[in-house]
Amino acid sequence: MTRLHLVVGPGRVGEFLQIFRTGVGVAVRTGCRLKDLLCGQFGLDESYVERRITTIFLDGRPVDAVGSERVREGSTLALSAAMPGLAGAILRRDGALAPLRANLERGDGEKSEAPERDGVITVKLFNLLAPELAPGFLRRGVLLSAAAAGGFFRRRPTAFRDGCREILLDGKRVEAAVLEGGGWALPGDPVALSVDVREA
């Protein structure tokens, strides 16, 4: 595994939001209930989960009851604030139009129970939740494929290089040009990326 740690200026965190739309790997204790993952492991306030995270998809299906769904190894968790239009109203947790998506509900609740263990899930963040939650995940550390990480850094503008305070690649300090040039992570080797923000 390649370990990459960046220290960037406050204005540069937004550069990383796009990786959360396609999904990042996050090391967690799997087998727990979704509410325990969000509030316990991710450290989110219960009121934030109830009021701000209005749409949740777990393994492609909408979730209303975060206290009953369990997170499994390899699960994909997508979080969103309120989405506009009819689709947003139908997918909203416990919304008045939730019965219209009855055919999307999970049908394997009992089968999803499994003992807790260390694992990795994919987390996706959308709309207003991305800038609110991404910094915490970046501090915690996320996992990317070598291809995704290499592609991301190759596409960074010059301003990104100027906003980097420090870059540590497997514990050794390197310049931003190294990341932009590619070839720093072996194909098939996951990249553990963490990002801290430092004022100038």
Side-chain angles (χ1 to χ4, degrees), residues 13 59 66 73 82 188:
V13 176
D59 296 326
V66 295
E73 167 69 26

Side-chain angles (χ1 to χ4, degrees), residues 123-142:
V123 174
K124 298 181 179 184
L125 302 176
F126 297 99
N127 60 42
L128 299 177
L129 293 189
E132 293 175 3
L133 297 181
F137 281 107
L138 290 170
R139 282 192 302 272
R140 171 193 177 100
V142 299

